[in-house]
Amino acid sequence: SGAFVTDPSNASRTLLYDIDERGWSDELCSLFGVPVAHLAEVLPSCGRVGLVDHDSIPSLRGVPVSGILGDQQAALFGQCCFWPGMIKATYGTGAFVLSMMGPQRPPVAEGLLTTVAWDLGAHGDFAYALEGSAFIAGAAVQWLRDELGIIPEAAALEPLARQVPDSGGLTFIPAFVGLGSPWWDETARGALGGITRGSTRAHLANAVVDSLAFEVRAITDAMGVAAGRPLTELRADGGAAAMDLLLERQANQSRIPVARPTTLESTATGAAMIAGLAEGVFGSLDELSGRWGLDASFAVTQDPETADAAYGGWLAMLERTRGWT
């Protein structure tokens, strides 16, 4: 027989789950007209759900299903961000930043979402996280490649941007579909400002890289305020995290060291890790943390005044894009 189940990390994103009581909310289900009986059973994120019993792939028959996590929570787990103060940023189509908050639900934070990170059941704690999302990250790189023809492939962005020392005064706001955290403004639209006769493709590439770092800084700044403690390290993954230039600028803007792991596919890694923890392949979070592999690290090298001036100019341009629609 099949199993109709989910876990708290997914349930907490439905608007139907009470993250304090840790169960489906009768009040919210009534408000949205959803019968509680029609919802999946909420089981721990880490623990055996059942066995594969479908015959379409005979080699998988009898394999246990032992880990369930939401996409970004799995990336947080895959980055071994197990302790408060640790943050991961995934630079995919958008940029998704999660900060581990530990077993106590944090207060509501301005501009951020409070979510369940995971429930380790018999293997550890129930944990919460704060999340911030920028809608456009890698999609801006795709726009340069596919719509403008500025670069032939995504990997060409960094070499092009490094042809010049900075953006040459160009400011890019990637609000193609509005602004995400911490503004949550669907009326904003993208903009490119500061254009002069000397503006080049390389300056535009630079401005796009800057914008990704600025978007994530807005989120990490909000997380630092909400956490009430120093942020210790940002671990980066996703396709755009392959750019050293982006991670160098991220460290300088967020004022925290940035680390890139040996694998950028942290969501898949996290799903495998939590299932392995459930099945005894791994014995503890400490053991898993010891298996995290560093590819490159990026220290804070720029003085705060210079970083803040660049960010302040970007924020000023961003305000001009709001209320556009």
Side-chain angles (χ1 to χ4, degrees), residues 265-286:
E265 300 298 335
S266 295
T267 293
T269 300
M273 285 167 48
I274 202 166
L277 183 64
E279 292 296 325
V281 176
F282 309 113
S284 67
L285 296 182
D286 286 332

Side-chain angles (χ1 to χ4, degrees), residues 234-287:
L234 188 152
R235 294 184 170 182
D237 56 63
M243 286 192 288
D244 288 359
L245 183 62
L246 170 60
L247 302 191
E248 290 167 8
R249 292 183 179 176
Q250 194 65 71
N252 286 325
Q253 285 298 322
S254 293
R255 312 302 301 165
I256 51 175
V258 174
R260 181 173 62 212
T262 51
T263 174
L264 297 181
E265 300 298 335
S266 295
T267 293
T269 300
M273 285 167 48
I274 202 166
L277 183 64
E279 292 296 325
V281 176
F282 309 113
S284 67
L285 296 182
D286 286 332
E287 180 184 345

Side-chain angles (χ1 to χ4, degrees), residues 92-96 133-139 174 177-181 184-186 215:
T93 301
F96 304 95
S133 304
F135 299 143
I136 300 295
V177 291
L179 293 168
S181 304
W184 300 116
D185 184 354
E186 63 181 11
E215 285 186 309

